[in-house]
Every structure is written in C-alpha cells, then in structure tokens.
Amino acid sequence: MMRFFSARCNSVARLDGKTAVITGANTGIGKCTAKDFFERGARVILACRNEGKGQQALTDIQESCGGRENVGYLKLMHLDLSSLKSVRAFAAKVIDSENKIDLLINNAGVMMCPESRTEDGFEMQFGTNHLGHFLLTLLLLPKICQSVPARIVNVSSVAHCVPSSIDLSDLNWNSRPYSAIGAYQQSKLANVLFTKELARKLKENNIENVTVYSLHPGIIKTELGRHLRLRWLWSIVGKFLLKNPEQGAQTQIYCAVDENCASESGLYYSDCKVAQPSTLARNEEIAKKLWDESLKLVGFEEIYCFQELKSISIGSNF
C-alpha cells in the first residue's frame, strides 16, 4: 500500500571498500539500511544491544541476498547505548579492528518508554538517544577523520519541533515531573543540535570531507511504537499513514550515499531532501551549551582539540 511522503533514495552509488557502523541494525530502519549497504558492497558493522536479534538480522540479510554478486561483509558487535562503559568498549574494539570508518549511522533509539534510568543514571531516552551516540561519535571521530570522505548520520524525528525550550539545567528530568513524550522530544532535539554543532566544529577546525546530517525518517511502523498506549489505533492509522521500515530507511540511506548531499553538512533532512528544522534547533548558542553540558555528563572536562592531521587529541580521562 502506498504511504504518503515516501520518497526513495535513487542513488546507485557503490560502497565497495567502505566500512559502515550502524547502531540498532537488528530491526526496523537500521536493519533495512544495513541490507542496503551490504548490497552496495560495504563492510557493515551491526552494532546491537541484543546479540541474539542481531545475529538473526545478520542471517536474514545474508539469506535475502543469497546468490547475489558483489555484496559486502556483515559483522555483528555488541553495543548498549544506555551504558557509557559499553560505548567505550565498543569504540575501542572498532578502532582496534577496523582500518577505517567511512560511515557512522546513529540510528538506534528508544521512544516514549516508561520513566527509567540508564546504567549511568541518565534519563533513558536522553541517555540512549543522545548521550550514547554523542560519546560514540566523538570516540570514533579520529578514525572517521582519517577515512575521508566520510559521513555521520544522526536519526532524529519531526518530534524535535515540538519543544519551545530545552532545560539545560535539568536534561535528565531530576527536578520536574517526568513526561515520556517530552523526554523523547528533547532527545530528538538534542540529535539535531548535536549535528549542527559538530558540523560547526569540523568547519572551524578546517577538517574537510567529514559531513554530518540529521533527519526525520518519517512516521514508521516499527518496534519503537511498543510503548504507545493506543497501539490499536496506531496499527489502524498505520495502514494509511505510516511508512514501513524500508520506506523509512530511505532518507538515512540518501544522507549516507547520495552524491547530491556530499558537500552539505549540518543540515536536516526529510523525505530525501533538505528540510527546515525548528527555530530552537537552529539556535547556535543552545547547540554550543548542549555540547558543553553533554561533555560533562559523559565524563569530560575539556573541549576536544581538533588537530591539523584531522584527528582529535583525547584527554587522559578517556
């Protein structure tokens, strides 16, 4: 059934010799993206919290491409974005085992879950959707910068448009009444602000050919909707309005491979084209403050120093 607003990435670009890391690649749009990259010849690292589901996804992709020529390679690695220890361990293994990282797709996420905390005490949605990916990106950035041209794709949501403000003094909902939807919207806003500030810092430090993108994949019928109260209504509406995972993956595939956006960075996309994020998401001062606060929350006291050799000088507290 045709859904509204289901643009497709029409690029036939190959990814032979490229290495891609995809978080949450065991299901939904992450799995579809992994399959697409595999078909294009990439070495794809499926970064998954649930290794059982990750292995099943790997097997599914291989079997669905059985008999096809010029496919890539799939590798499963454990990553729990709700644990900074797991993020650090994953990043260390990737840096040690991989010669390059051409594509980082920060796709995994949780949506409107009941109030809970990550292993490190962060509100679950902010900690997983933003802080986990924030730390992962910065840990992998030296390797990414040595693999140019390279792209970093952050999956956000149109939900980022709803907040009229962001409480930088209470990002983890310690002092205010918890709102599952409010926390989700905040985490998606953080994805867009992070993209904007990372792109600015790369440009400021004359690091070329590393481009950064944020996007709204569309409203998709995936496992993310499992916490919605009116799931029956969600399933009925979904027949007409919701994208399936393959359709939902198209914009992040576009940002990762399409030639048209190769020189664009720090922008926000929807349906395989540039879109306008919210006014708040375009606020450079807030983006800088969120960056600084995020550094503190994940355990860093100093801003990273970008080197001429297109790598990052990482402090001893790593």
Side-chain angles (χ1 to χ4, degrees):
M1 181 180 295
M2 177 63 69
R3 269 69 171 176
F4 296 111
F5 311 116
S6 53
R8 296 193 65 85
C9 173
N10 296 314
S11 172
V12 295
R14 294 286 301 176
L15 294 176
D16 302 290
K18 303 286 188 181
T19 297
V21 175
I22 306 175
T23 68
N26 60 288
T27 189
I29 63 176
K31 181 179 178 181
C32 290
T33 301
K35 180 176 182 290
D36 180 277
F37 290 0
F38 177 65
E39 292 174 337
R40 294 174 189 265
R43 176 180 175 85
V44 185
I45 297 174
L46 287 70
C48 305
R49 180 182 60 83
N50 187 314
E51 293 183 89
K53 290 184 178 180
Q55 183 59 54
Q56 185 60 57
L58 187 152
T59 300
D60 290 345
I61 294 171
Q62 288 179 329
E63 291 181 349
S64 69
C65 297
R68 295 193 58 169
E69 297 182 351
N70 301 317
V71 294
Y73 176 81
L74 299 173
K75 178 180 179 180
L76 174 65
M77 295 183 68
H78 178 258
L79 170 64
D80 182 353
L81 287 159
S82 69
S83 164
L84 298 185
K85 179 180 179 181
S86 177
V87 172
R88 290 189 175 95
F90 171 83
K93 289 179 181 178
V94 170
I95 291 169
D96 183 60
S97 64
E98 303 300 321
N99 293 324
K100 55 192 302 192
I101 301 174
D102 305 275
L103 297 168
L104 172 60
I105 314 299
N106 290 322
N107 161 83
V110 290
M111 176 182 177
M112 288 183 269
C113 56
E115 183 173 9
S116 56
R117 298 278 157 176
T118 69
E119 179 179 284
D120 304 280
F122 305 129
E123 186 279 316
M124 182 60 72
Q125 296 182 88
F126 181 72
T128 302
N129 298 350
H130 171 60
L131 291 177
H133 282 126
F134 176 84
L135 177 60
L136 176 65
T137 302
L138 295 183
L139 288 170
L140 296 182
L141 198 53
K143 181 75 73 172
I144 292 171
C145 288
Q146 294 164 5
S147 309
V148 294
R151 303 189 193 188
I152 299 168
V153 180
N154 296 319
V155 179
S156 179
S157 166
V158 71
H160 88 272
C161 294
V162 178
S164 59
S165 63
I166 181 169
D167 189 345
L168 293 168
S169 66
D170 189 26
L171 292 167
N172 287 298
W173 299 77
N174 294 316
S175 302
R176 48 185 164 151
Y178 182 72
S179 165
I181 189 169
Y184 176 70
Q185 292 163 348
Q186 174 187 264
S187 73
K188 295 290 99 180
L189 173 60
N191 294 151
V192 183
L193 290 168
F194 170 46
T195 300
K196 182 178 184 64
E197 182 62 8
L198 178 57
R200 188 191 70 80
K201 287 185 178 295
L202 290 168
K203 181 178 180 180
E204 179 182 74
N205 290 278
N206 299 313
I207 295 178
E208 300 178 347
N209 294 319
V210 178
T211 46
V212 193
Y213 311 81
S214 64
L215 63 98
H216 169 53
I219 304 175
I220 305 162
K221 188 175 183 180
T222 70
E223 292 181 5
L224 281 180
R226 63 187 177 275
H227 294 300
L228 295 178
R229 292 182 179 180
L230 300 178
R231 281 180 291 180
W232 61 272
L233 179 59
W234 179 262
S235 64
I236 294 173
V237 172
K239 294 179 181 179
F240 304 97
L241 298 178
L242 305 189
K243 295 180 180 181
N244 61 41
E246 181 183 0
Q247 292 169 329
Q250 294 305 305
T251 300
Q252 65 191 51
I253 294 170
Y254 173 84
C255 290
V257 307
D258 199 278
E259 301 85 349
N260 292 328
C261 60
S263 60
E264 299 170 349
S265 191
L267 302 180
Y268 172 77
Y269 297 75
S270 179
D271 289 302
C272 298
K273 61 181 181 295
V274 176
Q276 183 83 300
S278 70
T279 300
L280 189 59
R282 301 195 304 270
N283 189 306
E284 291 186 3
E285 181 179 357
I286 291 176
K288 293 176 184 177
K289 289 181 177 179
L290 176 64
W291 176 284
D292 291 345
E293 188 62 28
S294 298
L295 283 175
K296 294 176 183 177
L297 289 172
V298 298
F300 299 98
E301 298 299 329
E302 297 181 359
I303 298 295
Y304 295 90
C305 177
F306 291 77
Q307 301 291 308
E308 292 183 1
L309 296 177
K310 296 181 172 53
S311 62
I312 296 178
S313 175
I314 301 176
S316 59
N317 50 356
F318 267 103

